[in-house]
Amino acid sequence: MRLLHTSDWQIGKVFRFADDDILPVLQQERLEAIGRIGRLARAQGAECVVVAGDIYDHLRPSERTLRQPVERMRQFPDLRWHLIPGNHDFNERDGLWERLARTGLPDHIVPHLAHAPAPLDAAGTAWVLPAGLGHRHVIGDPTAWMDGTATPEGAIRVGLAHGSVRSFGEEAPGHNLLAIDRARQAGLSYLALGDWHGAQKIDARTWYSGTPEVDGFDLGGAGGGQALLVSLDGPRAEPVVESHAVGRFRWARAQAVLTCADDIVALEGRLRAIDPDDPSRVLVWLAVSGALGLSDLEGWQARIVDGLGSALRLLRIDGAPGLAPSSDDLDAFGPGGAVRAAAETLARQAGEGDEAARAIAAAALQRLYLLARDGAGGLA
């Protein structure tokens, strides 16, 4: 059989850095990823989709947010969608899972709220052993019950859980801990995990799928934005796992030290190369340092701040190039006179004092430079 493994949709996620223009776009794309997952499952001949927790980002979504992922899954009645609660959307009394049940879920959408095996496919050749969370932080391994739980003879056993394996990462949290060898101990054909937002292979039978739509700059190159197609030829056969891209946005961190016009051109090329065909898919967090002359600061503003800032979905900039006016820059103010003297004073102040004073002097010098340039030296 074939199944599609996904997790950590976190519908309704709030991106605190995002303004009112980009926030709805990022939230909507997490919903659109569900449709891409369904179409991928169909195209690859998967019988079901297993969602390893954190379908929602928080416990009390609005009614619209609650229903939105259900409506996306409703469009694929030929697929069985198996869901478990994670740490963001754990199963609390009178919580969102009871609200979902009251909406009248279609038969092909199956929340697993109890630690009890259930058929994974219509034929019953495969069974899911779900280990959803009933609290945000669980003491003890929520998958431990799988070891002694029987399923029909010859059935494919698929574990479904949300948490961290003990050796996963340098600082694994002290809660929701899962045995790294649970698949072996419980005789699982495959253990589908959620919680980590980048895809991760733990062993041949144990995988984290990662989030289908990358949601942070630290995951830009760490495996987010996919779903896992899992082929299981039998209960003891080693699964064949294939990663398929389903995410839209590409997130990246970048750093640049700018000292001249060539640095600006190189930076622009590097950021546009992240997705040259569609830069509107790209979000960049850029850290900038260095110092530029007056004319090069114009290039920085035009090519990076205004140009790339309009092309990319988001350009978040930390820092800014300082001002280091060249002799050619100062010559724009003429060979002498009051304006040239003022420019030299501002240039000195832009390199001295505290950060606020330097910024004020640099801004004043840039403004004076533009007036002198546009006035063709008429201010001298």
Side-chain angles (χ1 to χ4, degrees):
M1 72 165 299
R2 283 187 159 191
L3 61 85
L4 207 66
H5 171 198
T6 179
S7 69
D8 298 280
W9 295 353
Q10 294 193 228
I11 302 304
K13 184 177 178 67
V14 176
F15 297 85
R16 303 197 182 282
F17 65 84
D19 59 26
D20 291 342
D21 292 331
I22 191 173
L23 177 59
V25 177
L26 296 178
Q27 291 178 329
Q28 182 65 28
E29 206 57 43
R30 303 192 76 75
L31 285 167
E32 297 304 322
I34 301 173
R36 292 192 286 270
I37 289 167
R39 290 188 290 275
L40 173 63
R42 274 181 178 167
Q44 295 294 329
E47 299 174 53
C48 60
V49 179
V50 296
V51 190
D54 281 358
I55 288 84
Y56 299 93
D57 188 56
H58 49 87
L59 289 172
R60 293 168 182 81
S62 69
E63 193 66 21
R64 174 178 169 79
T65 300
L66 182 76
R67 291 172 178 265
Q68 282 179 318
V70 174
E71 292 306 315
R72 269 60 179 186
M73 290 183 280
R74 192 188 297 273
Q75 298 170 21
F76 301 90
D78 49 321
L79 298 172
R80 291 169 68 89
W81 299 75
H82 296 272
L83 320 177
I84 61 168
N87 62 308
H88 281 259
D89 56 3
F90 61 87
N91 182 28
E92 64 176 351
R93 185 175 181 180
D94 297 324
L96 70 84
W97 294 97
E98 292 187 22
R99 289 173 59 197
L100 265 181
R102 290 195 293 269
T103 67
L105 291 175
D107 291 342
H108 69 285
I109 301 176
V110 187
H112 296 276
L113 306 182
H115 290 182
L120 191 64
D121 58 348
T125 58
W127 283 64
V128 62
L129 287 79
L133 300 180
H135 301 278
R136 185 177 300 278
H137 298 155
V138 174
I139 303 301
D141 186 341
T143 66
W145 69 277
M146 297 179 183
D147 291 1
T149 300
T151 50
E153 184 70 25
I156 292 172
R157 291 163 59 90
V158 175
L160 185 59
H162 191 90
S164 293
V165 297
R166 287 187 170 85
S167 64
F168 190 50
E170 296 179 358
E171 297 180 359
H175 49 260
N176 308 338
L177 290 175
L178 314 177
I180 194 170
D181 60 347
R182 180 61 63 205
R184 180 188 62 79
Q185 291 186 47
L188 302 178
S189 306
Y190 183 76
L191 177 55
L193 297 179
D195 189 33
W196 182 248
H197 285 208
Q200 179 78 29
K201 178 183 179 181
I202 303 304
D203 59 41
R205 298 185 185 278
T206 307
W207 284 74
Y208 285 89
S209 66
T211 180
E213 185 65 47
V214 176
D215 56 4
F217 293 99
D218 292 331
L219 284 178
Q226 73 293 301
L228 302 180
L229 178 68
V230 183
S231 300
L232 297 164
D233 290 338
R236 294 179 179 81
E238 185 171 301
V240 177
V241 181
E242 303 171 19
S243 177
H244 289 260
V246 293
R248 178 186 176 197
F249 291 124
R250 304 187 64 183
W251 300 56
R253 284 182 182 265
Q255 294 182 331
V257 179
L258 304 179
T259 59
C260 63
D262 288 346
D263 292 341
I264 299 169
V265 173
L267 174 62
E268 181 184 17
R270 179 157 53 102
L271 297 185
R272 288 190 181 276
I274 295 172
D275 192 332
D277 296 327
D278 187 2
S280 70
R281 296 175 57 199
V282 177
L283 298 89
V284 172
W285 188 351
L286 175 64
V288 177
S289 60
L292 297 169
L294 286 165
S295 59
D296 290 340
L297 278 175
E298 281 192 273
W300 154 258
Q301 182 70 36
R303 300 184 74 118
I304 306 299
V305 178
D306 295 335
L308 274 178
S310 300
L312 304 182
R313 179 63 59 178
L314 174 73
L315 178 59
R316 177 179 178 180
I317 301 175
D318 282 353
L323 177 62
S326 66
S327 58
D328 289 342
D329 290 332
L330 294 176
D331 286 345
F333 300 101
V339 175
R340 171 66 181 250
E344 290 175 348
T345 299
L346 289 171
R348 243 185 351 266
Q349 293 173 345
E352 301 172 351
D354 60 33
E355 184 177 349
R358 293 198 306 271
I360 291 171
L365 182 57
Q366 285 179 267
R367 180 62 179 158
L368 192 61
Y369 173 77
L370 293 175
L371 288 171
R373 185 201 63 188
D374 295 344
L379 296 178

